[in-house]
């Protein structure tokens, strides 16, 4: 098959998968049923663009840094939009995600777990930013829902003289735990249930399975570290609750 044939077949498969996702959600009358299909279309378009861009910058440290900053900014905006929107919320999300990413990458490269090269910086940096974004979103939404669901308890603690963060600390800890569950499950089932994209992609790229496995376990550990830092910082930031938060709708 030619490259054009491969692209056509891939496009057909993606379209059918998007239709299936939309149809299932429509039959179950799920709100915003078009979001998965729209996300697929956006993802395809963005991957096409970034593939062309990365071809020209993958060996340039300066452009790699620019690419990571752009990814981080978009991740912060997306995560903020999932809990509401304000400069305070953006500051919370961006600073928490940044802290997690910086801590994880600093450890990875300072210990020599991975060589500090533009390619590795881009690969692991993008993965950690993306996962930290998801964990940040889950933490914020889970905490907001928990406080709303248990507002009588929170209000009772406040009435007894507890400080705002004291009144929500149990809910905050639960939100952090819930946000980390997908990453924990993926990590502990890697090789048994899950073959992560980075691992498979590395093998397809010609790297030995052993080397690919080394890269993948470093990535998974970095995700856990970055996600833990991000989630805890968001929970601490959001824990200063004085009035009942608005329900999360996005």
């Amino acid at each position: 098959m030619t490259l054009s044939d491969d692209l056509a077949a891939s496009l057909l498969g993606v379209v059918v998968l998007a239709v299936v996702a939309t149809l299932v959600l429509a039959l179950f009358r799920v709100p915003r049923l078009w979001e998965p299909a729209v996300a697929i279309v956006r993802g395809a378009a963005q991957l096409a663009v970034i593939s062309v861009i990365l071809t020209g910058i993958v060996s340039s440290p300066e452009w790699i840094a620019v690419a990571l900053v752009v990814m981080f900014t978009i991740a912060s905006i997306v995560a903020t939009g999932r809990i509401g929107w304000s400069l305070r919320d953006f500051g919370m999300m961006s600073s928490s995600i940044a802290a997690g990413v910086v801590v994880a990458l600093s450890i990875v490269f300072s210990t020599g777990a991975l060589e500090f090269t533009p390619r590795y910086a881009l690969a692991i940096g993008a993965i950690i930013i993306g996962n930290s974004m998801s964990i940040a979103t889950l933490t914020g939404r889970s905490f907001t829902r928990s406080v709303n669901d248990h507002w009588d308890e929170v209000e009772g603690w406040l009435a007894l003289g507890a400080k705002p963060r004291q009144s929500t600390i149990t809910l905050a800890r639960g939100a952090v735990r819930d946000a980390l569950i997908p990453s924990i499950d993926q990590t502990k089932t890697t090789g048994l249930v899950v073959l992560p994209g980075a691992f498979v992609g590395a093998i397809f790229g010609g790297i030995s399975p052993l080397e690919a496995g080394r890269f993948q376990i470093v990535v998974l550990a970095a995700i856990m570290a970055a996600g833990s830092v991000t989630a805890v910082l968001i929970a601490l930031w959001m824990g200063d609750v004085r009035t009942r938060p608005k329900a999360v709708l996005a």
Side-chain angles (χ1 to χ4, degrees):
M1 294 178 68
T2 64
L3 179 59
S4 59
D5 291 335
D6 289 339
L7 289 175
S10 297
L11 180 60
L12 175 61
V14 169
V15 169
V16 173
L17 291 169
V19 169
V20 169
T22 303
L23 180 60
V24 170
L25 296 178
L27 291 174
F28 200 61
R29 298 182 181 179
V30 175
R32 303 187 181 186
L33 60 93
W34 293 106
E35 284 194 341
V38 172
I40 291 171
V41 172
R42 284 188 55 177
Q46 289 160 190
L47 280 173
V49 173
I50 198 65
S51 296
V52 174
I53 294 174
L54 290 181
T55 301
I57 72 168
V58 73
S59 61
S60 170
E62 295 79 10
W63 283 110
I64 291 297
V66 171
L68 289 173
V69 169
V70 171
M71 293 176 187
F72 164 75
T73 302
I74 294 173
S76 299
I77 292 172
V78 171
T80 304
R82 288 299 186 181
I83 64 167
W85 185 262
S86 70
L87 288 177
R88 179 183 184 278
D89 290 336
F90 180 76
M92 172 185 68
M93 285 298 188
S94 60
S95 62
S96 299
I97 293 173
V101 172
V102 169
V103 167
L105 290 182
S106 297
I107 293 172
V108 167
F109 293 124
S110 66
T111 60
L114 292 178
E115 184 182 358
F116 185 44
T117 64
R119 290 175 183 269
Y120 274 134
L122 175 64
I124 194 171
I127 293 171
I128 294 175
I129 289 171
N131 281 272
S132 296
M133 174 188 69
S134 298
I135 291 170
T137 297
L138 291 173
T139 304
R141 291 170 68 86
S142 178
F143 178 78
T144 300
R145 285 200 180 102
S146 294
V147 171
N148 264 306
D149 292 343
H150 298 85
W151 181 246
D152 290 344
E153 298 173 25
V154 174
E155 203 170 33
W157 280 109
L158 291 172
L160 290 172
K163 295 180 179 179
R165 285 194 175 87
Q166 291 177 321
S167 68
T168 61
I169 188 62
T170 300
L171 302 178
R173 289 168 178 159
V176 170
R177 168 65 180 171
D178 288 346
L180 291 174
I181 284 177
S183 296
I184 292 172
D185 287 348
Q186 178 180 345
T187 300
K188 71 182 184 183
T189 59
T190 294
L192 298 176
V193 177
V194 179
L195 286 180
F199 175 79
V200 176
I203 292 178
F204 284 174
I207 296 177
S208 70
L210 182 61
E211 182 65 16
R214 181 181 76 91
F215 174 73
Q216 185 60 56
I217 193 59
V218 172
V219 168
L220 291 173
I223 290 172
M224 294 302 304
S228 297
V229 171
T230 297
V232 168
L233 288 176
I234 288 173
L236 287 172
W237 193 310
M238 297 185 73
D240 189 21
V241 175
R242 300 172 187 275
T243 58
R244 188 169 189 167
K246 295 180 180 179
V248 175
L249 298 176

